[in-house]
Amino acid sequence: MARKQQQKVPALNRNRRQQVQAENDPRFRQDEPRPIHPKRNTAPLIAQTAKQKQYIAAIQNFDVTFGLGPAGTGKSYVATMIAADMLDRGEVDRIIITRPAVESQEEFGFLPGELADKYEPYLAPIKEILYERLGKGATDYFVKSGRIEAIPLAFMRGRTFRDAFVIFDEAQNATPGQMKLFLTRIGDNCKVVIDGDAAQSDIPNSGLVDAANRVSHIPCVRVITFDRSDVVRSGFVSEVLAAYASD
């Protein structure tokens, strides 16, 4: 019996099939780098400086904590780690994050996408810390379900914070009026951290220190002030701050 002649695959089709297989193989997709997220950090939060220890204790024991001082002292990092832990343990229903959108002067209309897309650049630094503490999957789930919410400062009016951990990041770029607006949103069972560096304000009339001074006498409020000796980001940052201290 004559053997059935094997049908030849045209070279063009064979090459195209190999190309498609390569495109679908993640080992060969060098044109689309995969995002790298840190492994989830579940270790207990340990203060790296005496002032950080005071800051952690203040957040845990007071309703409203101001963290004032230079960059690299862990103000945002510590607050976000504690917020993530409280959300994970069910001690708060959600995390609310806000910061002034100074670069766009609180005007989001000219930026592409929906409001969440427009505000994404301002949420990104906090989101990286949430990824570290909760993991990317859990963080994305909480964001989609509304349990982690980013609210532009311009959209605060009429809101009330309840059963939430609220982080007001980069508050040195808020005016006195915006600080008053934010502080009057705080409702029951709410933990609030307001952080910023008055020396790095991008506006002429920052309301951060003014607000801290006005409400520091209230029993549920604690103000923690960091200085250059509390910088933990790197020795280089300490040197940079020292170099600019004379200005």
Side-chain angles (χ1 to χ4, degrees):
M1 180 184 295
R3 286 191 303 176
K4 187 176 181 180
Q5 186 175 6
Q6 185 176 6
Q7 186 176 6
K8 291 185 179 181
V9 178
L12 181 61
N13 291 343
R14 185 169 61 250
N15 292 339
R16 175 56 184 160
R17 185 172 61 190
Q18 293 172 346
Q19 179 183 354
V20 170
Q21 290 174 342
E23 289 175 351
N24 292 329
D25 191 329
R27 295 173 299 175
F28 298 101
R29 298 183 68 178
Q30 299 179 358
D31 58 322
E32 297 181 9
R34 298 172 62 188
I36 299 175
H37 301 290
K39 184 179 179 180
R40 184 180 178 188
N41 175 12
T42 59
L45 181 62
I46 299 176
Q48 298 186 50
T49 64
K51 197 57 67 70
Q52 265 196 19
K53 186 176 181 179
Q54 295 177 23
Y55 188 52
I56 292 172
I59 295 172
Q60 292 173 338
N61 297 305
F62 290 81
D63 294 339
V64 179
T65 301
F66 284 81
L68 311 179
T73 51
K75 302 182 300 294
S76 301
Y77 182 84
V78 167
T80 306
M81 293 285 274
I82 295 175
D85 287 346
M86 291 184 67
L87 181 66
D88 197 35
R89 293 193 298 260
E91 296 175 13
V92 294
D93 289 342
R94 57 185 176 143
I95 297 173
I96 298 173
I97 306 158
T98 191
R99 59 189 294 177
V102 170
E103 290 79 1
S104 60
Q105 296 297 312
E106 301 289 357
E107 295 291 341
F108 292 86
F110 70 93
L111 296 173
E114 300 296 329
L115 179 60
D117 300 320
K118 297 173 183 182
Y119 201 54
E120 176 66 22
Y122 304 96
L123 174 62
I126 299 295
K127 207 176 207 180
E128 290 177 1
I129 304 170
L130 292 170
Y131 281 160
E132 176 183 344
R133 195 57 164 177
L134 297 173
K136 183 179 185 302
T139 299
D140 290 345
Y141 169 77
F142 285 138
V143 170
K144 290 179 181 178
S145 63
R147 298 189 64 193
I148 295 177
E149 184 180 10
I151 306 176
L153 195 58
F155 293 82
M156 283 288 179
R157 198 172 301 278
R159 298 292 297 262
T160 300
F161 306 141
R162 292 191 181 93
D163 302 314
F165 194 117
V166 186
I167 300 172
F168 188 174
D169 197 36
E170 301 291 343
Q172 75 273 3
N173 288 326
T175 65
Q178 288 173 323
M179 289 301 307
K180 180 182 178 182
L181 171 66
F182 173 82
L183 290 169
T184 53
R185 303 303 97 200
I186 300 173
D188 296 329
N189 192 30
C190 195
K191 184 81 70 176
V192 178
V193 177
I194 303 166
D195 69 69
D197 178 8
Q200 292 194 29
S201 176
D202 297 311
I203 61 175
N205 186 24
S206 173
L208 174 60
V209 176
D210 172 71
N213 291 336
R214 287 178 183 271
V215 302
S216 60
H217 69 283
I218 300 175
C220 66
V221 176
R222 186 84 161 88
V223 178
I224 304 296
T225 303
F226 297 84
D227 58 34
R228 288 204 315 268
S229 66
D230 300 307
V231 172
V232 295
R233 181 170 295 160
S234 68
F236 176 74
V237 172
S238 298
E239 296 296 334
V240 170
L241 292 172
Y244 279 89
S246 59
D247 292 350

